[in-house]
PDB file of all heavy atoms in Angstrom:
ATOM      1  N   LEU A 248      98.605 112.618 136.329  1.00 97.00           N
ATOM      2  CA  LEU A 248      98.343 111.761 135.174  1.00 97.00           C
ATOM      3  C   LEU A 248      99.523 111.828 134.220  1.00 97.00           C
ATOM      4  O   LEU A 248     100.305 112.780 134.249  1.00 97.00           O
ATOM      5  CB  LEU A 248      97.074 112.183 134.446  1.00 97.00           C
ATOM      6  CG  LEU A 248      97.086 113.554 133.743  1.00 97.00           C
ATOM      7  CD1 LEU A 248      96.251 113.505 132.469  1.00 97.00           C
ATOM      8  CD2 LEU A 248      96.537 114.624 134.676  1.00 97.00           C
ATOM      9  N   GLU A 249      99.628 110.794 133.399  1.00 98.00           N
ATOM     10  CA  GLU A 249     100.641 110.774 132.339  1.00 98.00           C
ATOM     11  C   GLU A 249      99.932 110.707 131.006  1.00 98.00           C
ATOM     12  O   GLU A 249      99.006 109.911 130.820  1.00 98.00           O
ATOM     13  CB  GLU A 249     101.582 109.583 132.494  1.00 98.00           C
ATOM     14  CG  GLU A 249     102.741 109.605 131.501  1.00 98.00           C
ATOM     15  CD  GLU A 249     103.784 108.536 131.779  1.00 98.00           C
ATOM     16  OE1 GLU A 249     103.601 107.420 131.271  1.00 98.00           O
ATOM     17  OE2 GLU A 249     104.748 108.825 132.514  1.00 98.00           O
ATOM     18  N   VAL A 250     100.349 111.564 130.077  1.00 98.00           N
ATOM     19  CA  VAL A 250      99.771 111.567 128.734  1.00 98.00           C
ATOM     20  C   VAL A 250     100.851 111.174 127.729  1.00 98.00           C
ATOM     21  O   VAL A 250     102.020 111.518 127.879  1.00 98.00           O
ATOM     22  CB  VAL A 250      99.188 112.953 128.380  1.00 98.00           C
ATOM     23  CG1 VAL A 250      97.979 113.263 129.250  1.00 98.00           C
ATOM     24  CG2 VAL A 250     100.225 114.064 128.502  1.00 98.00           C
ATOM     25  N   PHE A 251     100.440 110.437 126.714  1.00 98.00           N
ATOM     26  CA  PHE A 251     101.353 109.980 125.670  1.00 98.00           C
ATOM     27  C   PHE A 251     100.578 109.992 124.356  1.00 98.00           C
ATOM     28  O   PHE A 251      99.616 109.243 124.186  1.00 98.00           O
ATOM     29  CB  PHE A 251     101.849 108.568 125.988  1.00 98.00           C
ATOM     30  CG  PHE A 251     102.822 107.991 124.979  1.00 98.00           C
ATOM     31  CD1 PHE A 251     103.668 108.800 124.236  1.00 98.00           C
ATOM     32  CD2 PHE A 251     102.901 106.619 124.788  1.00 98.00           C
ATOM     33  CE1 PHE A 251     104.564 108.274 123.320  1.00 98.00           C
ATOM     34  CE2 PHE A 251     103.798 106.063 123.879  1.00 98.00           C
ATOM     35  CZ  PHE A 251     104.625 106.903 123.146  1.00 98.00           C
ATOM     36  N   ARG A 252     100.970 110.884 123.441  1.00 97.00           N
ATOM     37  CA  ARG A 252     100.258 110.965 122.168  1.00 97.00           C
ATOM     38  C   ARG A 252     100.854 109.971 121.183  1.00 97.00           C
ATOM     39  O   ARG A 252     102.038 110.050 120.837  1.00 97.00           O
ATOM     40  CB  ARG A 252     100.323 112.378 121.593  1.00 97.00           C
ATOM     41  CG  ARG A 252      99.577 112.465 120.273  1.00 97.00           C
ATOM     42  CD  ARG A 252      99.224 113.845 119.855  1.00 97.00           C
ATOM     43  NE  ARG A 252      98.929 113.809 118.424  1.00 97.00           N
ATOM     44  CZ  ARG A 252      99.441 114.645 117.541  1.00 97.00           C
ATOM     45  NH1 ARG A 252     100.258 115.592 117.932  1.00 97.00           N
ATOM     46  NH2 ARG A 252      99.132 114.534 116.271  1.00 97.00           N
ATOM     47  N   VAL A 253     100.023 109.034 120.714  1.00 97.00           N
ATOM     48  CA  VAL A 253     100.513 107.919 119.904  1.00 97.00           C
ATOM     49  C   VAL A 253     100.054 107.957 118.455  1.00 97.00           C
ATOM     50  O   VAL A 253     100.550 107.189 117.629  1.00 97.00           O
ATOM     51  CB  VAL A 253     100.097 106.574 120.537  1.00 97.00           C
ATOM     52  CG1 VAL A 253     100.732 106.413 121.903  1.00 97.00           C
ATOM     53  CG2 VAL A 253      98.575 106.465 120.647  1.00 97.00           C
ATOM     54  N   GLU A 254      99.106 108.807 118.114  1.00 96.00           N
ATOM     55  CA  GLU A 254      98.636 108.902 116.737  1.00 96.00           C
ATOM     56  C   GLU A 254      98.299 110.342 116.396  1.00 96.00           C
ATOM     57  O   GLU A 254      98.217 111.204 117.271  1.00 96.00           O
ATOM     58  CB  GLU A 254      97.408 108.003 116.505  1.00 96.00           C
ATOM     59  CG  GLU A 254      97.693 106.519 116.590  1.00 96.00           C
ATOM     60  CD  GLU A 254      96.502 105.659 116.163  1.00 96.00           C
ATOM     61  OE1 GLU A 254      95.605 106.182 115.465  1.00 96.00           O
ATOM     62  OE2 GLU A 254      96.483 104.478 116.531  1.00 96.00           O
ATOM     63  N   GLY A 255      98.097 110.586 115.092  1.00 94.00           N
ATOM     64  CA  GLY A 255      97.710 111.906 114.619  1.00 94.00           C
ATOM     65  C   GLY A 255      98.767 112.527 113.734  1.00 94.00           C
ATOM     66  O   GLY A 255      99.840 111.959 113.511  1.00 94.00           O
ATOM     67  N   VAL A 256      98.451 113.689 113.207  1.00 92.00           N
ATOM     68  CA  VAL A 256      99.353 114.401 112.295  1.00 92.00           C
ATOM     69  C   VAL A 256     100.646 114.757 113.028  1.00 92.00           C
ATOM     70  O   VAL A 256     100.617 115.226 114.168  1.00 92.00           O
ATOM     71  CB  VAL A 256      98.669 115.684 111.771  1.00 92.00           C
ATOM     72  CG1 VAL A 256      99.585 116.412 110.795  1.00 92.00           C
ATOM     73  CG2 VAL A 256      97.338 115.332 111.097  1.00 92.00           C
ATOM     74  N   ASP A 257     101.778 114.555 112.346  1.00 92.00           N
ATOM     75  CA  ASP A 257     103.066 114.783 113.003  1.00 92.00           C
ATOM     76  C   ASP A 257     103.526 116.231 112.941  1.00 92.00           C
ATOM     77  O   ASP A 257     104.412 116.624 113.683  1.00 92.00           O
ATOM     78  CB  ASP A 257     104.146 113.873 112.387  1.00 92.00           C
ATOM     79  CG  ASP A 257     104.340 114.135 110.897  1.00 92.00           C
ATOM     80  OD1 ASP A 257     103.332 114.307 110.199  1.00 92.00           O
ATOM     81  OD2 ASP A 257     105.484 114.155 110.431  1.00 92.00           O
ATOM     82  N   VAL A 258     102.926 117.050 112.079  1.00 88.00           N
ATOM     83  CA  VAL A 258     103.442 118.403 111.894  1.00 88.00           C
ATOM     84  C   VAL A 258     102.839 119.421 112.860  1.00 88.00           C
ATOM     85  O   VAL A 258     103.279 120.567 112.911  1.00 88.00           O
ATOM     86  CB  VAL A 258     103.220 118.886 110.442  1.00 88.00           C
ATOM     87  CG1 VAL A 258     104.067 118.070 109.493  1.00 88.00           C
ATOM     88  CG2 VAL A 258     101.745 118.793 110.047  1.00 88.00           C
ATOM     89  N   TYR A 259     101.829 119.021 113.604  1.00 87.00           N
ATOM     90  CA  TYR A 259     101.334 119.896 114.662  1.00 87.00           C
ATOM     91  C   TYR A 259     100.742 119.056 115.777  1.00 87.00           C
ATOM     92  O   TYR A 259     100.422 117.876 115.609  1.00 87.00           O
ATOM     93  CB  TYR A 259     100.309 120.919 114.153  1.00 87.00           C
ATOM     94  CG  TYR A 259      99.092 120.344 113.465  1.00 87.00           C
ATOM     95  CD1 TYR A 259      98.004 119.851 114.191  1.00 87.00           C
ATOM     96  CD2 TYR A 259      99.015 120.301 112.073  1.00 87.00           C
ATOM     97  CE1 TYR A 259      96.895 119.335 113.559  1.00 87.00           C
ATOM     98  CE2 TYR A 259      97.907 119.786 111.430  1.00 87.00           C
ATOM     99  CZ  TYR A 259      96.844 119.315 112.173  1.00 87.00           C
ATOM    100  OH  TYR A 259      95.750 118.802 111.544  1.00 87.00           O
TER     101      TYR A 259
END
Side-chain angles (χ1 to χ4, degrees):
L248 66 146
E249 186 172 87
V250 293
F251 181 29
R252 180 162 162 229
V253 297
E254 293 188 19
V256 181
D257 60 318
V258 293
Y259 57 81

